Coordinates of all heavy atoms in Angstrom, one line a residue:
V1 N -1.4 -10.5 -12.5 CA -2.5 -11.3 -12.1 C -2.9 -12.3 -13.2 O -3.0 -13.5 -13.0 CB -3.7 -10.5 -11.7 CG1 -5.0 -11.4 -11.5 CG2 -3.5 -9.7 -10.4
F2 N -3.0 -11.8 -14.4 CA -3.4 -12.7 -15.5 C -2.2 -13.6 -15.9 O -2.4 -14.7 -16.3 CB -3.9 -11.8 -16.7 CG -5.2 -11.2 -16.5 CD1 -5.4 -9.9 -16.2 CD2 -6.3 -12.0 -16.7 CE1 -6.6 -9.4 -16.0 CE2 -7.6 -11.5 -16.5 CZ -7.8 -10.2 -16.1
A3 N -1.0 -13.0 -15.9 CA 0.1 -13.8 -16.4 C 0.5 -14.9 -15.4 O 0.8 -16.1 -15.8 CB 1.4 -12.9 -16.5
E4 N 0.4 -14.7 -14.1 CA 0.8 -15.6 -13.1 C -0.4 -16.3 -12.4 O -0.2 -17.4 -11.7 CB 1.7 -15.0 -12.0 CG 3.0 -14.4 -12.6 CD 3.9 -13.9 -11.6 OE1 3.8 -14.2 -10.4 OE2 4.8 -13.1 -12.0
G5 N -1.6 -15.8 -12.5 CA -2.7 -16.4 -11.9 C -2.8 -16.3 -10.4 O -3.5 -17.0 -9.7
A6 N -2.0 -15.4 -9.8 CA -2.0 -15.2 -8.4 C -2.5 -13.8 -8.0 O -2.5 -12.9 -8.8 CB -0.6 -15.3 -7.8
S7 N -3.0 -13.7 -6.8 CA -3.4 -12.4 -6.3 C -2.2 -11.4 -6.2 O -1.1 -11.9 -6.1 CB -4.0 -12.6 -4.9 OG -5.1 -13.4 -4.9
A8 N -2.5 -10.2 -6.2 CA -1.5 -9.2 -6.2 C -2.0 -7.9 -5.5 O -3.2 -7.7 -5.4 CB -1.0 -8.8 -7.6
E9 N -1.0 -7.2 -4.9 CA -1.3 -5.9 -4.3 C -0.5 -4.8 -5.1 O 0.6 -5.0 -5.4 CB -1.0 -5.8 -2.9 CG -1.2 -4.4 -2.3 CD -0.8 -4.3 -0.8 OE1 0.0 -5.1 -0.4 OE2 -1.3 -3.4 -0.1
L10 N -1.2 -3.7 -5.4 CA -0.6 -2.6 -6.1 C -0.8 -1.4 -5.2 O -1.9 -1.0 -4.8 CB -1.2 -2.4 -7.4 CG -0.8 -1.2 -8.2 CD1 0.7 -1.3 -8.6 CD2 -1.7 -1.0 -9.5
V11 N 0.3 -0.7 -4.8 CA 0.2 0.5 -4.0 C 0.7 1.7 -4.9 O 1.8 1.6 -5.5 CB 1.1 0.4 -2.7 CG1 1.1 1.7 -2.0 CG2 0.6 -0.8 -1.9
V12 N -0.1 2.7 -4.9 CA 0.2 3.8 -5.8 C 0.1 5.1 -5.0 O -0.9 5.3 -4.2 CB -0.8 3.9 -7.0 CG1 -0.6 5.1 -7.8 CG2 -0.8 2.6 -7.8
E13 N 1.1 6.0 -5.1 CA 1.1 7.3 -4.5 C 1.0 8.3 -5.6 O 1.7 8.2 -6.6 CB 2.4 7.5 -3.7 CG 2.4 6.6 -2.4 CD 3.7 6.9 -1.6 OE1 4.5 7.7 -2.0 OE2 3.8 6.3 -0.5
F14 N 0.2 9.3 -5.4 CA 0.1 10.4 -6.4 C -0.5 11.6 -5.7 O -1.0 11.6 -4.6 CB -0.8 10.0 -7.6 CG -2.3 9.9 -7.2 CD1 -3.2 10.9 -7.4 CD2 -2.8 8.7 -6.6 CE1 -4.5 10.8 -7.0 CE2 -4.1 8.6 -6.3 CZ -5.0 9.6 -6.5
T15 N -0.3 12.7 -6.4 CA -0.8 14.0 -5.9 C -2.1 14.3 -6.7 O -2.1 14.3 -7.9 CB 0.3 15.1 -6.2 OG1 1.5 14.8 -5.5 CG2 -0.2 16.5 -5.6
G16 N -3.1 14.6 -6.0 CA -4.4 14.8 -6.5 C -4.5 16.2 -7.1 O -3.6 17.1 -6.9
P17 N -5.6 16.6 -7.7 CA -5.8 17.9 -8.3 C -5.9 19.0 -7.2 O -5.6 20.1 -7.5 CB -7.1 17.8 -9.0 CG -7.8 16.6 -8.6 CD -6.7 15.7 -8.0
D18 N -6.1 18.6 -6.0 CA -6.1 19.5 -4.9 C -4.7 19.7 -4.3 O -4.6 20.5 -3.3 CB -7.1 19.1 -3.8 CG -6.7 17.7 -3.2 OD1 -5.8 17.0 -3.7 OD2 -7.5 17.2 -2.3
G19 N -3.7 19.1 -4.8 CA -2.4 19.2 -4.4 C -2.0 18.3 -3.2 O -0.9 18.4 -2.7
V20 N -2.9 17.5 -2.7 CA -2.7 16.6 -1.6 C -2.2 15.3 -2.1 O -2.7 14.7 -3.0 CB -4.0 16.4 -0.8 CG1 -3.8 15.4 0.4 CG2 -4.5 17.8 -0.2
E21 N -1.1 14.8 -1.5 CA -0.5 13.5 -1.8 C -1.3 12.4 -1.2 O -1.6 12.5 0.0 CB 0.9 13.4 -1.3 CG 1.6 12.2 -1.8 CD 3.1 12.2 -1.4 OE1 3.8 13.1 -1.8 OE2 3.5 11.2 -0.7
R22 N -1.8 11.4 -1.9 CA -2.6 10.3 -1.5 C -1.9 9.0 -1.8 O -1.2 8.9 -2.7 CB -4.0 10.3 -2.1 CG -4.7 11.7 -2.2 CD -5.3 12.2 -0.9 NE -6.1 11.3 -0.2 CZ -6.4 11.5 1.1 NH1 -6.0 12.6 1.7 NH2 -7.2 10.7 1.7
T23 N -2.3 8.0 -1.0 CA -1.8 6.6 -1.2 C -3.0 5.7 -1.3 O -3.9 5.7 -0.5 CB -0.9 6.2 -0.1 OG1 0.2 7.1 0.1 CG2 -0.2 4.8 -0.4
W24 N -3.0 4.9 -2.4 CA -4.1 4.0 -2.6 C -3.5 2.5 -2.7 O -2.4 2.3 -3.3 CB -4.8 4.3 -4.0 CG -5.5 5.6 -3.9 CD1 -5.0 6.8 -4.1 CD2 -6.9 5.8 -3.5 NE1 -6.0 7.8 -3.9 CE2 -7.1 7.1 -3.5 CE3 -7.9 4.9 -3.1 CZ2 -8.4 7.7 -3.2 CZ3 -9.1 5.4 -2.8 CH2 -9.4 6.8 -2.9
S25 N -4.2 1.6 -2.2 CA -3.8 0.2 -2.2 C -4.9 -0.6 -3.0 O -6.1 -0.5 -2.6 CB -3.7 -0.4 -0.8 OG -3.5 -1.8 -0.9
A26 N -4.5 -1.3 -4.0 CA -5.5 -2.2 -4.7 C -5.1 -3.6 -4.6 O -4.0 -4.0 -4.8 CB -5.4 -1.8 -6.2
Q27 N -6.1 -4.4 -4.1 CA -5.9 -5.9 -4.0 C -6.6 -6.4 -5.2 O -7.8 -6.2 -5.5 CB -6.6 -6.4 -2.7 CG -6.1 -5.9 -1.5 CD -4.7 -6.4 -1.2 OE1 -4.3 -7.5 -1.5 NE2 -3.9 -5.6 -0.5
I28 N -5.9 -7.2 -6.0 CA -6.4 -7.7 -7.3 C -6.4 -9.3 -7.2 O -5.3 -9.9 -6.9 CB -5.5 -7.2 -8.5 CG1 -5.4 -5.7 -8.4 CG2 -6.1 -7.7 -9.8 CD1 -4.4 -5.1 -9.3
V29 N -7.5 -9.9 -7.5 CA -7.7 -11.3 -7.4 C -8.2 -11.8 -8.7 O -9.2 -11.3 -9.2 CB -8.7 -11.7 -6.2 CG1 -8.9 -13.2 -6.1 CG2 -8.2 -11.1 -4.9
P30 N -7.6 -12.9 -9.3 CA -8.1 -13.5 -10.5 C -9.4 -14.2 -10.3 O -9.6 -14.8 -9.2 CB -7.0 -14.4 -11.0 CG -6.3 -14.8 -9.7 CD -6.4 -13.6 -8.8
E31 N -10.4 -14.1 -11.2 CA -11.6 -14.9 -11.2 C -11.5 -15.9 -12.2 O -11.2 -15.6 -13.4 CB -12.8 -14.0 -11.4 CG -13.0 -13.0 -10.2 CD -14.3 -12.2 -10.4 OE1 -14.4 -11.5 -11.4 OE2 -15.1 -12.3 -9.5
R32 N -11.8 -17.2 -11.9 CA -11.6 -18.3 -12.8 C -12.9 -18.8 -13.3 O -13.9 -18.8 -12.6 CB -10.8 -19.4 -12.1 CG -9.4 -18.9 -11.6 CD -8.6 -20.0 -11.0 NE -7.3 -19.5 -10.6 CZ -6.2 -19.4 -11.3 NH1 -6.3 -19.8 -12.6 NH2 -5.1 -19.0 -10.9
D33 N -12.8 -19.4 -14.5 CA -14.0 -20.1 -15.0 C -14.1 -21.5 -14.6 O -13.2 -21.9 -13.8 CB -14.0 -20.0 -16.6 CG -12.8 -20.6 -17.2 OD1 -12.1 -21.5 -16.6 OD2 -12.5 -20.3 -18.4
D34 N -15.0 -22.3 -15.0 CA -15.2 -23.7 -14.6 C -14.0 -24.6 -14.9 O -13.8 -25.6 -14.3 CB -16.4 -24.3 -15.3 CG -17.7 -23.6 -14.8 OD1 -17.7 -23.0 -13.7 OD2 -18.7 -23.7 -15.5
R35 N -13.2 -24.2 -15.9 CA -12.0 -25.0 -16.3 C -10.7 -24.5 -15.6 O -9.7 -25.0 -15.9 CB -11.8 -25.0 -17.8 CG -13.0 -25.7 -18.5 CD -12.9 -25.5 -20.0 NE -13.5 -24.2 -20.3 CZ -13.0 -23.3 -21.2 NH1 -12.1 -23.7 -22.0 NH2 -13.6 -22.2 -21.4
G36 N -10.9 -23.5 -14.7 CA -9.7 -23.0 -14.0 C -8.9 -21.9 -14.7 O -8.0 -21.4 -14.2
G37 N -9.4 -21.5 -15.9 CA -8.8 -20.4 -16.6 C -9.2 -19.1 -16.0 O -10.3 -19.0 -15.5
I38 N -8.4 -18.1 -16.2 CA -8.7 -16.8 -15.6 C -9.5 -16.1 -16.7 O -9.1 -15.9 -17.8 CB -7.4 -16.0 -15.3 CG1 -6.6 -16.7 -14.3 CG2 -7.8 -14.6 -14.9 CD1 -5.2 -16.1 -14.0
E39 N -10.7 -15.6 -16.3 CA -11.6 -14.9 -17.2 C -11.7 -13.4 -16.9 O -12.1 -12.6 -17.7 CB -13.0 -15.6 -17.2 CG -13.8 -15.5 -16.0 CD -15.1 -16.2 -16.1 OE1 -15.4 -16.9 -17.1 OE2 -16.0 -15.9 -15.2
S40 N -11.4 -13.0 -15.6 CA -11.4 -11.6 -15.2 C -10.7 -11.4 -13.9 O -10.2 -12.4 -13.4 CB -12.9 -11.2 -15.1 OG -13.5 -11.9 -14.0
A41 N -10.7 -10.2 -13.5 CA -10.0 -9.9 -12.2 C -10.9 -9.0 -11.4 O -11.6 -8.2 -11.9 CB -8.7 -9.3 -12.4
L42 N -10.9 -9.3 -10.1 CA -11.7 -8.5 -9.1 C -10.7 -7.6 -8.4 O -9.6 -8.1 -7.9 CB -12.4 -9.4 -8.1 CG -13.2 -8.7 -7.0 CD1 -14.3 -7.9 -7.6 CD2 -13.7 -9.7 -6.0
S43 N -11.0 -6.3 -8.2 CA -10.1 -5.4 -7.6 C -10.9 -4.6 -6.5 O -12.0 -4.1 -6.7 CB -9.5 -4.4 -8.6 OG -8.8 -3.4 -7.9
V44 N -10.3 -4.5 -5.3 CA -10.8 -3.7 -4.2 C -9.7 -2.6 -4.0 O -8.6 -3.0 -3.7 CB -11.1 -4.5 -3.0 CG1 -11.5 -3.6 -1.8 CG2 -12.1 -5.6 -3.3
T45 N -10.1 -1.4 -4.0 CA -9.1 -0.3 -3.9 C -9.5 0.5 -2.6 O -10.7 0.8 -2.4 CB -9.1 0.6 -5.1 OG1 -8.8 -0.2 -6.3 CG2 -8.0 1.7 -5.0
R46 N -8.5 0.8 -1.8 CA -8.7 1.6 -0.6 C -7.7 2.7 -0.5 O -6.6 2.6 -0.9 CB -8.4 0.7 0.6 CG -9.4 -0.5 0.8 CD -9.0 -1.2 2.1 NE -9.9 -2.4 2.2 CZ -9.5 -3.6 1.9 NH1 -8.3 -3.8 1.6 NH2 -10.3 -4.6 2.0
D47 N -8.2 3.8 0.1 CA -7.4 5.0 0.4 C -6.6 4.6 1.7 O -7.2 4.5 2.7 CB -8.2 6.2 0.5 CG -7.4 7.5 0.8 OD1 -6.2 7.4 1.2 OD2 -7.9 8.6 0.6
V48 N -5.3 4.4 1.6 CA -4.5 4.1 2.8 C -3.6 5.2 3.2 O -2.6 5.0 3.8 CB -3.7 2.8 2.6 CG1 -4.7 1.6 2.4 CG2 -2.8 2.9 1.4
T49 N -4.0 6.4 2.8 CA -3.1 7.6 3.1 C -2.8 7.8 4.6 O -1.6 7.9 4.9 CB -3.8 8.9 2.5 OG1 -4.0 8.7 1.1 CG2 -2.9 10.1 2.7
E50 N -3.8 7.7 5.4 CA -3.5 8.0 6.8 C -2.7 6.9 7.4 O -1.8 7.1 8.2 CB -4.8 8.1 7.6 CG -5.6 9.4 7.3 CD -4.7 10.6 7.5 OE1 -4.0 10.7 8.6 OE2 -4.7 11.5 6.7
R51 N -2.9 5.6 7.0 CA -2.1 4.5 7.5 C -0.7 4.7 7.1 O 0.3 4.4 7.9 CB -2.7 3.2 7.0 CG -1.9 2.0 7.5 CD -2.4 0.7 7.0 NE -3.5 0.7 6.1 CZ -3.9 -0.4 5.4 NH1 -3.3 -1.5 5.5 NH2 -5.0 -0.3 4.6
T52 N -0.5 5.0 5.9 CA 0.9 5.3 5.3 C 1.6 6.4 6.1 O 2.8 6.2 6.5 CB 0.8 5.6 3.8 OG1 0.2 4.5 3.2 CG2 2.2 5.8 3.3
R53 N 0.9 7.5 6.3 CA 1.5 8.6 7.0 C 1.8 8.2 8.5 O 2.9 8.6 9.0 CB 0.5 9.8 7.1 CG 0.4 10.5 5.7 CD -0.6 11.6 5.8 NE -0.7 12.2 4.4 CZ -1.8 13.0 4.1 NH1 -2.7 13.2 5.0 NH2 -1.8 13.4 2.9
T54 N 0.9 7.5 9.1 CA 1.2 7.0 10.5 C 2.4 6.1 10.6 O 3.3 6.3 11.5 CB -0.1 6.3 11.1 OG1 -1.2 7.2 11.0 CG2 0.2 5.8 12.5
R55 N 2.5 5.2 9.7 CA 3.7 4.3 9.7 C 5.0 5.0 9.4 O 6.0 4.7 10.0 CB 3.5 3.2 8.6 CG 2.5 2.1 9.0 CD 2.3 1.1 8.0 NE 1.3 0.1 8.4 CZ 0.9 -0.9 7.6 NH1 1.3 -0.9 6.4 NH2 0.0 -1.7 8.1
R56 N 4.9 6.0 8.5 CA 6.1 6.8 8.2 C 6.5 7.6 9.4 O 7.7 7.7 9.7 CB 5.8 7.7 7.0 CG 7.0 8.5 6.5 CD 6.7 9.3 5.3 NE 6.3 8.4 4.2 CZ 5.4 8.7 3.3 NH1 4.7 9.8 3.3 NH2 5.1 7.8 2.3
A57 N 5.6 8.2 10.1 CA 5.9 9.0 11.3 C 6.5 8.1 12.4 O 7.4 8.5 13.0 CB 4.6 9.7 11.8
L58 N 5.9 6.9 12.6 CA 6.4 6.0 13.6 C 7.9 5.6 13.2 O 8.7 5.6 14.1 CB 5.5 4.8 13.7 CG 6.0 3.7 14.7 CD1 6.1 4.3 16.1 CD2 5.1 2.5 14.6
R59 N 8.1 5.3 12.0 CA 9.5 4.9 11.6 C 10.5 6.0 11.8 O 11.5 5.8 12.3 CB 9.4 4.4 10.1 CG 10.7 3.9 9.6 CD 10.7 3.3 8.2 NE 10.1 4.3 7.2 CZ 8.9 4.2 6.6 NH1 8.2 3.1 6.9 NH2 8.5 5.1 5.8
E60 N 10.1 7.2 11.4 CA 11.0 8.4 11.6 C 11.2 8.6 13.1 O 12.3 8.9 13.5 CB 10.4 9.6 10.9 CG 10.4 9.5 9.4 CD 9.6 10.6 8.8 OE1 9.0 11.5 9.5 OE2 9.6 10.6 7.5
S61 N 10.2 8.5 13.9 CA 10.4 8.7 15.4 C 11.3 7.6 16.0 O 12.2 7.9 16.8 CB 9.0 8.6 16.1 OG 9.1 8.6 17.5
E62 N 11.1 6.4 15.5 CA 12.0 5.3 16.0 C 13.5 5.6 15.6 O 14.4 5.3 16.3 CB 11.5 3.9 15.4 CG 10.3 3.5 16.1 CD 9.7 2.2 15.4 OE1 10.1 1.9 14.2 OE2 8.9 1.5 16.1
E63 N 13.7 6.0 14.4 CA 15.0 6.4 13.9 C 15.6 7.5 14.7 O 16.8 7.4 15.1 CB 15.0 6.7 12.4 CG 14.7 5.6 11.5 CD 14.4 6.0 10.1 OE1 14.5 7.2 9.8 OE2 14.2 5.1 9.2
R64 N 14.9 8.5 15.0 CA 15.4 9.6 15.9 C 15.7 9.1 17.3 O 16.8 9.4 17.8 CB 14.4 10.7 16.0 CG 14.3 11.6 14.7 CD 13.5 12.8 14.9 NE 12.1 12.6 15.5 CZ 11.0 12.4 14.7 NH1 11.1 12.4 13.4 NH2 9.9 12.2 15.3
F65 N 14.9 8.3 17.8 CA 15.1 7.7 19.2 C 16.4 6.8 19.2 O 17.2 6.9 20.0 CB 13.9 6.9 19.6 CG 14.1 6.3 21.0 CD1 14.0 7.1 22.1 CD2 14.4 4.9 21.1 CE1 14.2 6.5 23.4 CE2 14.6 4.4 22.4 CZ 14.5 5.2 23.5
R66 N 16.5 6.0 18.1 CA 17.7 5.1 18.0 C 18.9 5.9 17.9 O 20.0 5.7 18.6 CB 17.5 4.2 16.8 CG 18.5 3.1 16.8 CD 18.3 2.1 15.6 NE 17.0 1.5 15.7 CZ 16.0 1.8 14.8 NH1 16.1 2.6 13.8 NH2 14.8 1.2 15.0
A67 N 18.9 7.0 17.1 CA 20.1 7.9 17.0 C 20.4 8.6 18.3 O 21.6 8.7 18.6 CB 19.8 8.9 15.9
L68 N 19.4 9.0 19.0 CA 19.6 9.6 20.3 C 20.3 8.7 21.3 O 21.3 9.0 21.9 CB 18.3 10.1 20.9 CG 18.4 10.8 22.2 CD1 19.1 12.1 22.1 CD2 16.9 11.0 22.7
V69 N 19.8 7.4 21.3 CA 20.4 6.4 22.3 C 21.8 6.0 21.9 O 22.7 5.9 22.7 CB 19.4 5.2 22.3 CG1 20.1 4.0 23.1 CG2 18.1 5.6 22.9
E70 N 22.0 5.9 20.6 CA 23.3 5.5 20.1 C 24.4 6.5 20.3 O 25.6 6.2 20.5 CB 23.3 5.1 18.6 CG 22.5 3.8 18.4 CD 22.3 3.5 16.9 OE1 22.7 4.3 16.0 OE2 21.8 2.4 16.6
H71 N 24.0 7.8 20.3 CA 25.0 8.9 20.5 C 25.0 9.5 21.9 O 25.6 10.5 22.1 CB 24.7 10.0 19.4 CG 24.9 9.5 18.0 ND1 23.9 9.2 17.2 CD2 26.0 9.3 17.3 CE1 24.3 8.8 16.1 NE2 25.7 8.9 16.1
S72 N 24.4 8.8 22.8 CA 24.4 9.3 24.2 C 25.5 8.6 25.0 O 26.0 7.6 24.7 CB 23.1 8.9 24.9 OG 22.0 9.6 24.3

């Protein structure tokens, strides 16, 4: 963000102290001063674990269906 001056998304997966794997998405946006220079960054972080699990399950289901159709 600071080097390029553009917004960025960072997705991080980790296992919490409770042993549950979680996925977090951080949207990072540069904040500029009056001269256009970057003086700080604003970040909004969300827990996207359920969305990630749902997408993964859908992708796996589609793969199984495709394999079934291709081998029939």
Side-chain angles (χ1 to χ4, degrees):
V1 172
F2 287 101
E4 298 187 19
S7 299
E9 178 183 21
L10 175 66
V11 177
V12 179
E13 292 183 354
F14 69 95
T15 302
D18 57 359
V20 177
E21 187 175 304
R22 311 289 307 168
T23 305
W24 293 86
S25 171
Q27 299 290 329
I28 307 166
V29 180
E31 293 185 300
R32 299 182 181 276
D33 60 23
D34 295 338
R35 293 172 281 144
I38 299 172
E39 65 179 14
S40 63
L42 174 66
S43 175
V44 176
T45 304
R46 294 183 185 102
D47 182 344
V48 295
T49 303
E50 289 306 315
R51 180 179 2 167
T52 303
R53 288 178 183 162
T54 300
R55 287 181 178 170
R56 185 176 298 144
L58 177 60
R59 185 174 53 249
E60 291 170 357
S61 175
E62 289 172 341
E63 289 171 0
R64 285 191 305 271
F65 180 74
R66 191 174 302 111
L68 179 67
V69 170
E70 289 175 356
H71 294 102
S72 294

